[in-house]
Structure formats: C-alpha cells, structure tokens
Amino acid sequence: EVQLLESGGGLVQPGGSLRLSCAASGFTFSSYAMSWVRQAPGKGLEWVSAISGSGGSTYYADSVKGRFTISRDNSKNTLYLQMNSLRAEDTAVYYCAKGYYYGSGTCYYMDVWGKGTTVTVSS
Amino acid sequence: QSALTQPASVSGSPGQSITISCTGTSSDVGGYNYVSWYQQHPGKAPKLMIYEVSNRPSGVSNRFSGSKSGNTASLTISGLQAEDEADYYCSSYTSSSTLLFGGGTKLTVL
C-alpha cells in the first residue's frame, strides 16, 4: 500500500525554524516528484514546494521562497521541508503529496497525500 | 500569484447535476492542460478526482467529469449523492513552474 507519513510539526515562535519529514512507502520513491501543500485553519489549499525525483530540481511558491528549503533522501525514502524565519501566516496543516507521473521532473498533480502535520507559529 | 477563482459554494439535491467553475489566466488554466480537481472532506486529506482537465484516476466514479474552455475549467458531478458533500479545489500548473490552487468550493447536498 502506498503511504506517506508526515512528522515534525509543532509550536514554534515567530522567527524560529522547524524541519518537517515525510516517510514514504509502497512505491519507488526516487521515481516520483514530491510536493508540500499547506492549509491554514479554515482556509483553502496552498501549494508550497516541489522537488524532482532525483532532487536536482526544486520549485517554491513566492510566499516561502528564500525561507523554506525542500529536499529528499532517496536512500531513506524521506522528503523534508526545512522552514526558517517562520511567520504567523505559516501556521497550517502541512501535507506531503506524491506526484502522479512516473519520472516527471515536477508535480503537475498529486495522487497520494499524507494525513498532514500541524505547524503553529505563535509567541 | 492570486488563487484561481472558484465560487464559494454550490448546492444541489440528490440525483441532480452541479458544475463548479475555476477561472484563471492564460498563464495557468488557459495555457496548459495540467488542470486537476481535488475533493476534501472535513478533517481529511485531499483526494485527486480529475487530472489533465478531464481524466479520472482509477477508482473515481464516472459521475465526476471535467472540461476546459479558454481560461476556465469546470468540474461536473452528476447524480449527486450525499457522500459528494465536501470541499472541491481546482489546481493548475503555471508558467512559473509552480502549482496554483483555487480558493475552494463548498458543495452542499440538500
């Protein structure tokens, strides 16, 4: 069974840092692009970042560019999101999601999603 | 980039059909066929319902269909059922190599 399991969320002060992890299983992790998508409380979905299967190409939303870094360790089947200079508006549930197409360099659609991990930025 | 434009809410009775629109620009919806739709029930993760404008992933009911004309994509749900009540989001690839979601539409089955 294809599964994604996020971890690393929590409460952090404004200006602080947090690293999210997403453990993947049930598919050839290195063959698929991956994304992070977030959802603020009571709000809609917002795409955050994507990374190619090899990790050589990365993409970011303007709202997080320069503050967040996406990476992956294909030997550990794990996706990461390093979040620095956190702001109150980064408070959200963060979902890890698998790209639909085998071998694609980015995520055009996401067909498998984790349950999410909650990040709260507050003093 | 601003979110794609969706109606905040739509409603329909069981058995009826509804359509949700998703309007973007030539830099996203109008420029690519990488348009998708997601269903999200309260407290749950999103589920891919339509990809590449009109394709259904395996396991998704054929009551769900998608289309696109110019800068506007549409999701149609026919034969409405109670379990279709959820939030629906469109998404499009953009000329900036990013993904853009719509603001979401709450579907109420009366």
Side-chain angles (χ1 to χ4, degrees):
Chain A
E1 182 188 3
V2 177
Q3 283 192 324
L4 299 171
L5 183 62
E6 304 95 336
S7 61
L11 174 64
V12 60
Q13 292 188 336
S17 298
L18 211 56
R19 189 177 83 153
L20 306 183
S21 299
C22 171
S25 61
F27 64 102
T28 307
F29 182 68
S30 60
S31 295
Y32 292 88
M34 300 290 293
S35 274
W36 288 99
V37 177
R38 69 184 181 184
Q39 187 168 34
K43 303 296 185 182
L45 301 175
E46 180 188 14
W47 175 83
V48 172
S49 183
I51 187 169
S52 62
S54 67
S57 298
T58 57
Y59 310 88
Y60 298 95
D62 287 344
S63 58
V64 305
K65 198 174 296 182
R67 299 188 299 122
F68 290 12
T69 302
I70 191 171
S71 62
R72 64 193 297 160
D73 185 337
N74 287 341
S75 68
K76 296 182 178 179
N77 288 352
T78 302
L79 176 73
Y80 302 101
L81 185 68
Q82 177 66 45
M83 304 185 295
N84 299 331
S85 303
L86 282 162
R87 307 166 179 167
E89 54 264 37
D90 295 318
T91 294
V93 174
Y94 284 73
Y95 293 102
C96 161
K98 169 186 166 289
Y100 185 80
Y101 290 122
Y102 177 93
S104 174
T106 190
C107 288
Y108 299 104
Y109 333 103
M110 288 77 74
D111 62 342
V112 180
W113 295 64
K115 294 183 186 299
T117 187
T118 300
V119 172
T120 303
V121 184
S122 175
S123 55
Chain B
Q1 248 171 330
S2 298
L4 304 174
T5 300
Q6 298 180 229
S9 63
V10 298
S11 63
S13 299
Q16 288 185 331
S17 295
I18 62 95
T19 297
I20 300 172
S21 62
C22 170
T23 302
T25 70
S26 59
S27 296
D28 37 70
V29 175
Y32 303 90
N33 284 330
Y34 294 127
V35 175
S36 55
W37 290 89
Y38 298 86
Q39 176 192 66
Q40 187 181 35
H41 287 107
K44 300 296 186 182
K47 176 185 177 183
L48 179 65
M49 303 301 285
I50 296 287
Y51 69 96
E52 209 166 284
V53 177
S54 59
N55 294 314
R56 284 186 308 277
S58 174
V60 172
S61 170
N62 59 9
R63 298 185 299 105
F64 292 82
S65 61
S67 62
K68 190 184 85 166
S69 177
N71 295 338
T72 298
S74 298
L75 172 72
T76 297
I77 308 174
S78 59
L80 268 180
Q81 299 180 0
E83 61 259 34
D84 298 333
E85 185 163 294
D87 293 326
Y88 290 86
Y89 295 90
C90 62
S91 175
S92 175
Y93 185 71
T94 81
S95 59
S96 301
S97 300
T98 61
L99 285 180
L100 194 57
F101 281 98
T105 298
K106 181 177 180 59
L107 168 61
T108 300
V109 180
L110 303 170

